[in-house]
Each structure stands twice: as C-alpha cells, then as structure tokens.
Amino acid sequence: MATLLHIDSSVFSADASASRAVTDAFRKSWEEQHPEGTVIYRDLAANPVPHITADAHTAGFADPATHTPEQEAAFSARVQLIEELEQADAVLIGAPMYNFSIPSTLKAWLDNVVLIGRTAMTEESKVKGTPVTVVASRGGSYAPGTPREGYEYVQTYLKAIFADTLAVDLHFIVPELTMAPQNPAMAELVPLFEASRERALQDAAAKAKEVAERVAA
C-alpha cells in the first residue's frame, strides 16, 4: 500500500492557516486514490522534533559501535525521522513563510533527515526521486517581477535542500497574498488572494491525484 508522509509546520490552526488548508486538500485527494494506504502525519507546530545536537550530528558519521550513550540516544531519534522519510512513496509539506524563511520547526526536521551518505549525496539513497510537494504559502507576493522578489528565501532554500541535495522530484504550490483579508492596506489585493487560494486548492487536488497515479503505476 502507498504511504504518504504529511508534514505541517504552520503555527496556526486549520481554519486560520493557508498552508494547512492546501495540504488538507492534497491529502483528501490522495486518500481518495489510496483509501487503504498509510499516512504518516507530523504536526511540527504541535509536536516539534528535537533540534540537531552535536551528539546527533557526529553520530551520523561514526561507526555505531563507537557511539556514546548520548550519541546513541540522539541518533535514535534522528533515525526515526529518516526512516519515515525513506518509507514514504510521496511527501507533502506545508511550509509557510515566516520572516522571509521557513518555520524553525521545519528547519529542525530538515537538519535531522539530511544525512550525507544515507539520504543525501549518495546513489544508494532511498529518498532519491521521491515526489515531494511543498505548499509554500506567504502573506504577500515574492514572485518574479514583484518588489520583494529578492526576499524569496523559501522556495530557493527548499530547492537547494530537496532537489539539489536530496535529489527528490520537487513541486511547489504557492498560495500568496494570504494577509490581504486581514490587512486594510492590502484590501485591493483581496481578489488576487482569492484567485491564488482557489488555484492552490485546485492544484493540490490535481497534484495529489497525479502523484497517486504515478505511485500506483
């Protein structure tokens, strides 16, 4: 049966989070295609993973037989996250933009699962080629040609990690202008926000179906 690894990192609840709304649309479409499948879910806002430590880091490059008790405990938690990623036939990640970058909880997860010689920079990686869909929501617009194009560090960073380092098959869905309904100064942008939200929800459902069919083939 197909396995989806679904990760949310928004600090807001489902009814107030643009990224969660779109990941939910993806997941529902996926589950329609794989009703008997497995979904591994991590809500990094509700249950943050440990930040990488010296013990967890150094253990990744040392012979397990030489691990100290501290290294063994720290690396065991890291391996659990890595194994979840390796087991996934597809990955779905909600990555809202906070202060021009990703939530620190998502960065902590990435620091744990990126392991050179296992998930990264090796032909033996079980992660390589896995379809990964990232919902990169943001309160404004950082698209090419906009005034804040140069402040777009979410997609650029995640491309470097997922596509270039982990060698996965990466796809972005970008709901933007999500602050327009709450910010009076952005009132004229509300129609653009609504169009972006609808497009993102449709893209999520369609992408889930596409990935599900690919996994089943």
Side-chain angles (χ1 to χ4, degrees), residues 5 36-38 46 56 58 82 86 99 104 137 146 160 164 173 195 208 211:
L5 174 59
E36 304 301 323
T38 299
T58 56
I82 290 172
E86 291 176 333
N99 297 316
S104 62
S137 60
T146 61
D164 301 340
I173 297 174
V211 173

Side-chain angles (χ1 to χ4, degrees), residues 1-2 4 23-39 92 201-202 204-213 216:
M1 296 297 178
L4 173 69
T23 59
D24 185 61
F26 183 107
R27 178 170 170 173
K28 286 178 178 177
S29 180
W30 169 275
E31 289 176 330
E32 288 174 358
Q33 305 299 314
H34 293 291
E36 304 301 323
T38 299
V39 176
L92 169 65
L201 292 171
Q202 293 177 358
K207 188 64 179 179
K209 184 178 180 180
E210 173 192 322
V211 173
E213 290 174 348

Side-chain angles (χ1 to χ4, degrees), residues 10-112:
S10 172
V11 298
F12 298 104
S13 61
D15 59 350
S17 167
S19 65
R20 288 180 187 270
V22 178
T23 59
D24 185 61
F26 183 107
R27 178 170 170 173
K28 286 178 178 177
S29 180
W30 169 275
E31 289 176 330
E32 288 174 358
Q33 305 299 314
H34 293 291
E36 304 301 323
T38 299
V39 176
I40 302 172
Y41 182 61
R42 281 195 174 270
D43 185 336
L44 298 179
N47 296 290
V49 302
H51 282 277
I52 199 78
T53 64
D55 287 327
H57 176 75
T58 56
F61 299 97
D63 183 340
T66 68
H67 285 180
T68 66
E70 293 78 14
Q71 285 179 313
E72 185 176 356
F75 194 58
S76 176
R78 191 177 177 189
V79 166
Q80 180 183 357
L81 300 174
I82 290 172
E83 289 178 343
E84 288 178 353
L85 179 60
E86 291 176 333
Q87 293 165 9
D89 296 294
V91 180
L92 169 65
I93 297 176
M97 178 186 281
Y98 292 162
N99 297 316
F100 309 120
S101 187
I102 62 172
S104 62
T105 51
L106 181 55
K107 178 63 164 60
W109 180 83
L110 287 168
D111 287 341
N112 276 283

Side-chain angles (χ1 to χ4, degrees), residues 60-201:
F61 299 97
D63 183 340
T66 68
H67 285 180
T68 66
E70 293 78 14
Q71 285 179 313
E72 185 176 356
F75 194 58
S76 176
R78 191 177 177 189
V79 166
Q80 180 183 357
L81 300 174
I82 290 172
E83 289 178 343
E84 288 178 353
L85 179 60
E86 291 176 333
Q87 293 165 9
D89 296 294
V91 180
L92 169 65
I93 297 176
M97 178 186 281
Y98 292 162
N99 297 316
F100 309 120
S101 187
I102 62 172
S104 62
T105 51
L106 181 55
K107 178 63 164 60
W109 180 83
L110 287 168
D111 287 341
N112 276 283
V113 301
V114 176
L115 179 57
I116 295 173
R118 178 163 177 173
T119 61
M121 300 181 182
T122 172
E123 291 298 318
E124 305 304 316
S125 171
K126 297 179 181 179
V127 174
K128 184 177 181 181
T130 301
V132 174
T133 302
V134 174
V135 178
S137 60
R138 60 276 316 272
S141 179
Y142 300 79
T146 61
R148 289 199 165 187
E149 175 184 357
Y151 293 93
E152 206 302 305
Y153 301 116
V154 172
Q155 288 174 268
T156 50
Y157 170 68
L158 292 180
K159 179 180 180 298
I161 291 294
F162 283 117
D164 301 340
T165 304
L166 297 180
V168 304
D169 181 9
L170 179 63
H171 178 78
F172 286 105
I173 297 174
V174 186
E176 61 180 9
L177 302 169
T178 62
M179 287 299 297
Q182 286 79 42
N183 186 347
M186 299 174 67
E188 65 181 15
L189 299 176
V190 169
L192 293 178
F193 152 71
E194 292 174 342
S196 176
R197 177 183 59 185
E198 185 60 30
R199 183 166 57 250
L201 292 171

